[in-house]
Amino acid sequence: MEILNGKVVSQHIKEEIKKEVDQYKLAGKRAPHLVAILVGDDPASQAYVASKVKTCGEIGFESTLVRYEADIEEKILLEKIIACNADKDIDGILVQLPLPKHISENKVIETISPAKDVDGFHPSNQGKMMLGLPTFIPATPYGILLMLQHYGIKTSGMHAVVIGRSNIVGTPMSLLLSRNAEPGNCTVTICHSKTKNLKEICLQADMVVAAIGKANFVTADMVKPGAIIIDVGINRITSTETKSGYKLTGDVDFTAVSEKASYITPVPGGVGLMTICGLMKNTLLAYQNQCNKS
Ligand code: NDP
């Protein structure tokens, strides 16, 4: 069994991006600029945004963190996005999800200019991805593809089982794995909470992508020997072992499943770090597109 090490791969990708950014700066150009918008004080969202902003600093991007109270009016948030859309010195906009209930996530996503939608959630970008046109690929599936590529894992012909059908992870992941590309060319089964015989389906999988949001949901008896296991889940479970009183765990029972898998991503240290790489690569692309226009 080999661990798919998000730390190592993301470090490598970040160094590559930084080299490219240094070249732009040497040529007298400004740095790529990502604006991150955080609404409320959910601890997980704060941690995700903080690591995105920190990564921007590491790779030479400019970043701006915009924070609003949880009870902010939707209108104010939309106006801020519209202002960022119009600002030529901003390349990428990310609004950390989930948002408070009184704000429409769909409206927010649709207000972000598709050219700056570096999370790849805008319907126009999701549509382009479905058609195989150049676009921003949602950051988590993109990060997983980068991970598979880095390890030289050839997925062609595999049966991939994706558990979870969200618009940001499960659905785009299943589309990307099924397309005629490498990584890709998988036969994909997408599962969700209404799926019957989930265990039997998983046992047929050469690769399982778990994006459910339930700690240790995928157990060793659901996994075929030699399968590749991609654990997207980030679950906070209470723990007496940590100062904070909680620890992060994935959707996969890592200890038991790693004894059967050929490759497996850990949590933390796996897909989460790759998601940030996907976001940074999208921001660099948005910057390059904007530079080519002006
Ligand atoms: P959602 O809650 O939007 O989707 C969860 C999916 O899991 C749904 O499609 C749901 O089915 C399915 N599901 C729930 N229970 C079952 C079950 N018993 N059997 C089969 N399927 C089930 O979550 P996200 O896709 O946003 O996120 C999933 C996980 O990944 C979370 O832990 C999240 O924190 C994490 N995440 C991690 C990221 C990273 O960078 N590592 C990035 C984004 C998310 P149904 O549609 O029927 O309700």
Side-chain angles (χ1 to χ4, degrees):
M1 182 275 300
E2 186 172 355
I3 301 241
L4 298 172
N5 189 330
K7 252 190 193 164
V8 170
V9 185
S10 67
Q11 191 53 38
H12 176 77
I13 291 173
K14 285 192 291 189
E15 279 164 17
E16 276 181 357
I17 298 176
K18 183 167 188 313
K19 268 190 215 151
E20 235 177 299
V21 173
D22 286 346
Q23 290 301 317
Y24 288 120
K25 288 182 182 169
L26 272 175
K29 297 199 167 129
R30 67 169 177 84
H33 182 187
L34 175 69
V35 170
I37 303 179
L38 175 62
V39 181
D41 52 11
D42 172 63
S45 293
Q46 289 189 68
Y48 297 148
V49 168
S51 53
K52 290 167 188 175
V53 167
K54 181 168 166 264
T55 304
C56 283
E58 287 167 11
I59 61 177
F61 284 12
E62 191 185 332
S63 66
T64 304
L65 172 59
V66 180
R67 291 199 69 159
Y68 292 112
E69 298 290 330
D71 61 356
I72 185 192
E73 266 182 69
E74 183 184 86
K75 187 168 149 272
I76 304 216
L77 177 58
L78 297 180
E79 281 169 2
K80 180 68 191 176
I81 295 170
I82 291 166
C84 291
N85 286 342
D87 187 337
K88 283 204 169 74
D89 288 336
I90 294 171
D91 305 293
I93 304 165
L94 97 88
V95 179
Q96 187 65 43
L97 303 179
L99 290 167
K101 294 256 177 314
H102 68 282
I103 299 177
S104 157
E105 285 189 359
N106 282 342
K107 230 191 238 177
V108 165
I109 289 169
E110 286 177 35
T111 302
I112 298 172
S113 159
K116 299 191 180 188
D117 166 43
V118 287
D119 260 333
F121 296 162
H122 192 284
S124 149
N125 288 326
Q126 292 248 359
K128 283 185 182 171
M129 180 197 61
M130 198 197 85
L131 297 170
L133 299 171
T135 187
F136 302 116
I137 296 171
T140 300
Y142 189 13
I144 293 169
L145 296 182
L146 291 169
M147 172 86 99
L148 293 169
Q149 244 163 13
H150 179 92
Y151 281 89
I153 296 172
K154 301 275 175 259
T155 60
S156 182
M158 283 187 181
H159 180 201
V161 170
V162 178
I163 317 175
R165 58 176 162 186
S166 71
N167 290 337
I168 63 171
V169 188
T171 296
M173 187 77 258
S174 58
L175 269 169
L176 292 162
L177 287 174
S178 70
R179 66 181 186 174
N180 186 358
E182 189 61 58
N185 281 321
C186 294
T187 303
V188 178
T189 305
I190 180 160
C191 301
H192 44 75
S193 66
K194 311 290 185 297
T195 298
K196 287 183 183 159
N197 308 325
L198 182 65
K199 179 178 163 183
E200 285 69 23
I201 295 168
C202 287
L203 277 168
Q204 295 166 26
D206 303 307
M207 171 161 49
V208 176
V209 180
I212 310 150
K214 292 190 172 157
N216 302 322
F217 182 90
V218 177
T219 47
D221 61 334
M222 296 167 75
V223 172
K224 180 166 90 171
I228 298 165
I229 308 294
I230 309 292
D231 190 353
V232 181
I234 301 179
N235 307 289
R236 286 179 171 232
I237 56 167
T238 47
S239 167
T240 50
E241 295 159 29
T242 59
K243 254 199 236 159
S244 60
Y246 71 85
K247 67 174 184 183
L248 297 183
T249 185
D251 286 347
V252 175
D253 177 0
F254 182 86
T255 310
V257 171
S258 58
E259 287 183 14
K260 285 178 103 177
S262 56
Y263 295 94
I264 187 166
T265 60
V267 178
V271 173
L273 296 171
M274 296 309 300
T275 295
I276 297 181
C277 283
L279 176 72
M280 297 301 147
K281 282 187 77 91
N282 279 341
T283 306
L284 182 63
L285 176 63
Y287 166 82
Q288 289 162 334
N289 291 344
Q290 178 133 265
C291 290
N292 289 340
K293 262 195 291 175
S294 52

